[in-house]
Amino acid sequence: MIYFLGDVHGRFDRVVEAVRENRPNAVVFLGDLDCTRPLHEEVAEIRDLTEVWYIPGNHDSDAASSWDNLTCDEMADRNLHGRVVEIAGVRVAGLGGVFRGEIWYPPEPPQFDNYESWRRKEVPQSRQAIPGDSPKKAAYLASKAARIGAERMLRHQSTIFVETVRALERQRADILVTHEAPSCHPMGFAALDEVARKLRVTRLFHGHHHDCLDYGPFVDAMGFRTIGVGLRGITDQEGRKVVEGELDAARAYRPPGRRL
């Protein structure tokens, strides 16, 4: 059995408790872990009890420390982003991060295909001193460019690029895990519907919105079942709640209309 974990935002206590009690074969974090220490330390109490996997969320690249803690060497091979991995006998595909307008915000066409093409064009470089610049000004401008470049490079570590999506679509999986939601969510994306269909998955699990919506009316039209996992909630691979999300009761509504 696989457990799918909603955005924990730095709190791993519910995960530890559920794993100790139920001993699932694997757990998959759906992004926004907000690790305050390296991930292998955050999950040290359960690493011998279950497999641990994850995809990044948008807040995981808010600070360099959070990103470094999530992608630490000890857990680097457990990042599912852009991959299909067999976990507990189930083929699971991962697509972490979010869509951002300066890169790609479907249905608009992508501005850049991949991270490197964006970095080469958009990351500010250290400016060469020009006549009239004082050494102090030249040093300040160079430092400013480097700082802005580093901040933007970090931010887009958790951005979805079209090249990653296209490569994923050429594979096959049983389950797709994403941070963003597909179109059945009021703030979801039809682009993720297409990824799920091309992968031929039967289920999609997502986090990000901290809610728990009734997606039942959309299953037939979309061709797969969607399960949103709430804030610090836990759901098993059959879609059964193991632990209620903290906001599930407040946000458990049926999406208005059919955005298909």
Side-chain angles (χ1 to χ4, degrees), residues 4-19 27-39 41-46 52 59-60 66 69-70 210 229-234 243-247:
F4 297 93
L5 315 174
D7 305 16
V8 297
H9 286 291
R11 281 186 48 195
F12 293 80
D13 51 311
R14 286 185 167 195
V15 178
V16 170
E17 183 179 350
V19 169
V27 297
V28 179
F29 289 92
L30 299 175
D32 282 359
L33 285 74
D34 283 343
C35 298
T36 58
R37 52 181 176 164
L39 180 57
E41 296 181 14
E42 299 280 20
V43 299
E45 296 179 67
I46 61 173
V52 178
H59 286 298
D60 290 314
S66 295
N69 285 335
L70 178 64
H210 298 179
V229 187
L231 177 65
R232 302 189 181 99
I234 303 176
V243 176
E244 288 274 337
E246 292 183 6
L247 301 177

Side-chain angles (χ1 to χ4, degrees), residues 167-185:
L168 195 61
E169 288 176 337
R170 293 193 289 269
Q171 303 183 64
R172 294 290 177 268
D174 305 303
I175 290 173
L176 172 62
V177 295
T178 61
H179 192 57
E180 290 274 27
S183 69
C184 51
H185 191 281

Side-chain angles (χ1 to χ4, degrees), residues 183-245:
S183 69
C184 51
H185 191 281
M187 298 178 67
F189 294 87
L192 295 184
D193 303 359
E194 291 304 310
V195 178
R197 291 186 189 113
K198 289 179 179 178
L199 283 162
R200 300 180 185 175
V201 302
T202 59
R203 281 153 289 171
L204 184 155
F205 292 81
H206 75 83
H208 189 38
H209 296 290
H210 298 179
D211 52 23
C212 178
L213 309 189
D214 176 10
Y215 295 132
F218 299 91
V219 174
D220 290 341
M222 295 181 74
F224 57 90
R225 184 182 175 198
T226 301
I227 301 98
V229 187
L231 177 65
R232 302 189 181 99
I234 303 176
T235 301
D236 71 21
Q237 70 189 60
E238 302 302 327
R240 297 175 296 232
K241 286 187 183 181
V242 178
V243 176
E244 288 274 337

Side-chain angles (χ1 to χ4, degrees), residues 145-162:
R147 184 180 70 255
I148 293 172
E151 290 172 353
R152 295 181 71 201
M153 289 174 68
L154 174 62
R155 170 180 168 83
H156 287 307
Q157 292 286 355
S158 64
T159 296
I160 298 172
F161 285 86
V162 68

Side-chain angles (χ1 to χ4, degrees), residues 29-138:
F29 289 92
L30 299 175
D32 282 359
L33 285 74
D34 283 343
C35 298
T36 58
R37 52 181 176 164
L39 180 57
H40 69 278
E41 296 181 14
E42 299 280 20
V43 299
E45 296 179 67
I46 61 173
R47 283 186 74 187
D48 292 337
L49 304 178
T50 190
E51 294 183 24
V52 178
W53 300 85
Y54 70 90
I55 54 172
N58 54 304
H59 286 298
D60 290 314
S61 63
D62 283 349
S65 58
S66 295
W67 186 255
D68 291 345
N69 285 335
L70 178 64
T71 59
C72 59
D73 289 344
E74 290 84 350
M75 302 292 288
D77 65 334
R78 296 310 175 99
N79 186 351
L80 285 170
H81 177 63
R83 304 169 60 195
V84 176
V85 176
E86 185 169 319
I87 302 173
V90 178
R91 291 184 62 78
V92 180
L95 185 65
V98 295
F99 294 108
R100 291 189 169 107
E102 67 179 285
I103 303 298
W104 183 28
Y105 202 81
E108 297 300 318
Q111 303 299 306
F112 299 94
D113 288 344
N114 53 49
Y115 183 88
E116 281 303 310
S117 65
W118 165 79
R119 185 189 62 80
R120 287 194 299 269
K121 186 174 187 298
E122 297 294 326
V123 175
Q125 304 297 313
S126 297
R127 183 168 82 83
Q128 297 295 317
I130 61 175
D133 276 354
S134 67
K136 183 176 181 179
K137 180 178 180 180

